[in-house]
Amino acid sequence: MARLSGSEAKSGNRFNAGSWQLDAVRIITAAAFFVVWEAGTRVGALSEFVLPAPSVILRQLWDELLSGKLTMDVQATLVRLFTGFLIAAAIGIPLGILVGRVKIIRWFCDPLISLALPLPQIAFLPIIVLWFGVGDTAKITLIVFSTIFPIVVHTAAGTQAIDKLIVWSAESLGVSRYGFIWQIAVPAAMPQIFTGLQIALPIALITTIVVEMLMGGSGIGSSIINGMRMSDSPELFSGIVMVALVGYALAKIMEFIRKALLTWHQETAA
Amino acid sequence: MRMNSVCSALLRFVPVFLVAAVWEVLPRIGMVRPEFAPSLEKIGSAWLELIASGELPYHAAASLTNLVIGLTSSICVGVLLGLMMAWHPIFNATAGTLLQMTFPIPRSAFVPVMILWLGLGPASKIAAIFSGSLLPIIVSAYNGARGIDRVLIWSAYSFGATPRRTLWQVVLPAALPDILSGVRNAISIAFILMVTSEFLIGGRGLGYLISFLGDAGSYAAMFAVVATVAALGFLVDRGYLKLMQWVLRWRD
């Protein structure tokens, strides 16, 4: 199919321009943005309080790195995020397979999931606090709660929609019910399981940051909220830069794992 | 036939009733402390009280006003930006690059920035909702517009349409299915930001009411408001889905 903009059609990536001129414009724009931002604070058009200069934020990040605060915050956030995410995956993928392949479980879970999926799960935070206090248990519970539904839904959809020909071939070759799940259903649904995980991971990051902002303790989220409470703009904005870097790194790592795991699948070849 | 469909709808929600039954039974047999899981009857009467006292409608109206203002403005701005990015390679390379740099930041992290910039009023909440729901709309409008069959645009030009008219009358409708599903994602993000910003900022709104009731120890009422927020999220999503199907009924 012909695309709207010929120069962009050549590249597969959604936000990449095709020609080097456009790449140059991109780089100049990004550079100009930082220059204007820095200059704006230097001449006083922007107050340091409202938006600290990039150099101030970098300086703050460097100081936090040297004092060990940065590593501690990032570590606390990542530990919570991955604990919650892995628990959600460990429960969500098997549950999704069961929902996709076992009728009675689908009957039971389907209405519950369709009720729970569109909810703003963060609204349940005070209930989780009531049940588990304000420690890590509550934080991780909320991360699991907000990430598990997309994982279950995508796994179920993937395992349910396996090509009938594949199912029949497996059955005629005499595969057992258990073997069917591990040797047919899971590999066939792998791209969709991974899509579920790729959707869930940014949600896990959002939830982690929000629970850290609301419940305090350690982590990037509580560093951001401290910066706001103390009117310490450099701390606030350096926290946001860290969240952006973590978010970017997580998305890239997931893309990389997806490519590595799905080399055999046709989506990688395409 | 009619009877059958009613029955099957009821049968479909049996699991929900089962979960409700477990909720009722656990505190009664002493598995869970009763104040941790107030009975549905107590939650229901607390809900009616909140309605009668006007508290729930008052806070719900405040929340939904922010939500609607934030969402409508992000739809207008987002569709425009997304289409422009698909239309002008230069615009994409400049404005698109700047927007792209903010993509990996979870929008909830912006709430403290909004507080710093706009203070503790509804403006911060609306700005948070706006900035959060903007991204999925831009991306969907951009992808939708880029996926257009080029022949459509050539035809429009050969019929003498101006570029602007082509953009509004050919590109926009063709991108509409993508835009509408982007808006659906935006709505769920907007709900999250609505509640998060009210937890953080307080003042008025359902999120504030939830944390206020929780702090006051009125747990039945707190559960009632959480259930209200959940029900609103669910109903808006379902209603929007119906609307989307109706708008796209011309598609085959």
Side-chain angles (χ1 to χ4, degrees):
Chain A
M1 187 169 49
R3 290 270 173 152
L4 189 61
S5 157
S7 64
E8 284 168 314
K10 278 183 278 178
S11 90
N13 201 328
R14 284 180 308 187
F15 280 93
N16 277 356
S19 70
W20 66 267
Q21 287 101 329
L22 285 177
D23 283 339
V25 174
R26 273 172 193 282
I27 293 165
I28 293 166
T29 307
F33 172 74
F34 285 108
V35 169
V36 169
W37 178 4
E38 180 76 41
T41 48
R42 289 277 165 98
V43 298
L46 283 166
S47 96
E48 286 278 321
F49 176 68
V50 167
L51 187 64
S55 60
V56 174
I57 296 175
L58 278 179
R59 181 71 211 237
Q60 170 83 15
L61 284 170
W62 178 247
D63 289 347
E64 286 184 8
L65 185 68
L66 289 184
S67 71
K69 179 179 179 299
L70 187 77
T71 349
M72 257 174 59
D73 282 343
V74 173
Q75 194 189 339
T77 297
L78 284 180
V79 167
R80 267 179 211 127
L81 187 152
F82 277 111
T83 314
F85 180 69
L86 292 177
I87 293 173
I91 303 172
I93 295 174
L95 185 63
I97 295 170
L98 291 174
V99 171
R101 300 305 314 176
V102 184
K103 264 216 176 101
I104 177 99
I105 296 181
R106 187 184 321 155
W107 168 81
F108 185 78
C109 291
D110 204 38
L112 295 176
I113 293 169
S114 63
L115 274 178
L117 185 69
L119 304 185
Q121 277 95 10
I122 194 74
F124 289 80
L125 179 107
I127 294 182
I128 307 273
V129 171
L130 172 68
W131 286 346
F132 300 107
V134 287
D136 272 340
T137 320
K139 289 174 183 153
I140 291 166
T141 307
L142 201 71
I143 299 169
V144 173
F145 183 52
S146 61
T147 49
I148 195 163
F149 297 109
I151 299 177
V152 174
V153 167
H154 282 86
T155 310
T159 44
Q160 206 181 333
I162 297 168
D163 193 342
K164 279 278 181 297
L165 268 180
I166 298 177
V167 178
W168 291 331
S169 319
E171 278 168 358
S172 73
L173 290 170
V175 73
S176 68
R177 206 179 155 78
Y178 185 76
F180 177 83
I181 285 182
W182 285 114
Q183 295 176 349
I184 313 290
V186 173
M190 208 54 174
Q192 262 162 303
I193 296 177
F194 224 84
T195 303
L197 294 176
Q198 277 179 307
I199 292 172
L201 194 59
I203 300 179
L205 179 62
I206 295 173
T207 315
T208 312
I209 298 299
V210 172
V211 292
E212 284 172 353
M213 290 201 293
L214 288 166
M215 296 194 223
S218 51
I220 308 175
S222 64
S223 168
I224 291 177
I225 211 75
N226 272 336
M228 186 199 83
R229 293 219 175 100
M230 306 291 162
S231 300
D232 182 354
S233 302
E235 186 181 3
L236 200 175
F237 283 94
S238 67
I240 287 174
V241 170
M242 280 322 294
V243 177
L245 292 178
V246 169
Y248 184 75
L250 289 177
K252 284 289 155 198
I253 291 168
M254 284 300 270
E255 263 172 46
F256 176 78
I257 298 176
R258 183 183 187 116
K259 278 211 183 107
L261 272 183
L262 296 176
T263 37
W264 52 273
H265 196 268
Q266 53 215 25
E267 72 160 35
T268 319
Chain B
M1 192 63 200
R2 180 107 191 217
M3 206 52 211
N4 258 339
S5 65
V6 172
C7 278
S8 68
L10 277 179
L11 201 65
R12 192 174 130 72
F13 283 99
V14 167
V16 180
F17 298 130
L18 284 176
V19 171
V22 171
W23 179 271
E24 286 291 297
V25 166
L26 282 185
R28 275 166 216 224
I29 58 170
M31 294 270 289
V32 183
R33 279 167 59 189
E35 68 269 27
F36 278 18
S39 69
L40 295 174
E41 185 205 330
K42 273 191 194 146
I43 296 177
S45 64
W47 189 78
L48 288 175
E49 261 173 51
L50 284 169
I51 293 279
S53 71
E55 252 181 299
L56 191 59
Y58 170 79
H59 288 285
S63 288
L64 292 177
T65 310
N66 294 342
L67 187 85
V68 169
I69 298 174
L71 257 176
T72 1
S73 42
S74 74
I75 292 171
C76 298
V77 176
V79 168
L80 192 70
L81 286 174
L83 292 184
M84 295 282 285
M85 278 162 65
W87 193 249
H88 292 292
I90 298 288
F91 184 80
N92 186 22
T94 49
T97 306
L98 295 181
L99 285 167
Q100 208 187 333
M101 287 181 347
T102 70
F103 283 1
I105 309 175
R107 290 314 189 264
S108 309
F110 277 153
V111 178
V113 181
M114 297 306 168
I115 297 175
L116 188 75
W117 286 349
L118 302 169
L120 289 166
S124 299
K125 298 173 189 167
I126 293 171
I129 294 169
F130 171 80
S131 73
S133 45
L134 191 62
L135 168 61
I137 295 171
I138 292 178
V139 172
S140 62
Y142 178 77
N143 287 338
R146 279 198 50 190
I148 287 178
D149 195 338
R150 219 168 171 186
V151 175
L152 288 177
I153 294 166
W154 292 334
S155 316
Y157 280 151
S158 73
F159 281 122
T162 58
R164 178 182 289 186
R165 225 177 136 200
T166 311
L167 191 60
W168 290 119
Q169 297 193 346
V170 179
V171 179
L172 181 63
L176 201 60
D178 284 275
I179 294 173
L180 289 177
S181 54
V183 170
R184 193 177 174 207
N185 291 335
I187 291 175
S188 71
I189 296 176
F191 261 95
I192 294 173
L193 280 158
M194 179 188 91
V195 176
T196 309
S197 65
E198 287 164 357
F199 278 155
L200 279 166
I201 299 174
R204 277 204 268 165
L206 293 169
Y208 164 73
L209 187 60
I210 292 172
S211 50
F212 171 78
L213 292 168
D215 292 342
S218 331
Y219 296 128
M222 180 184 90
F223 276 90
V225 182
V226 173
T228 309
V229 174
L232 280 174
F234 180 77
L235 290 175
V236 169
D237 185 65
R238 281 306 135 102
Y240 180 77
L241 204 60
K242 283 270 178 299
L243 178 79
M244 200 170 130
Q245 282 158 357
W246 182 78
V247 171
L248 294 178
R249 67 194 182 284
W250 49 270
R251 271 210 312 181
D252 34 42

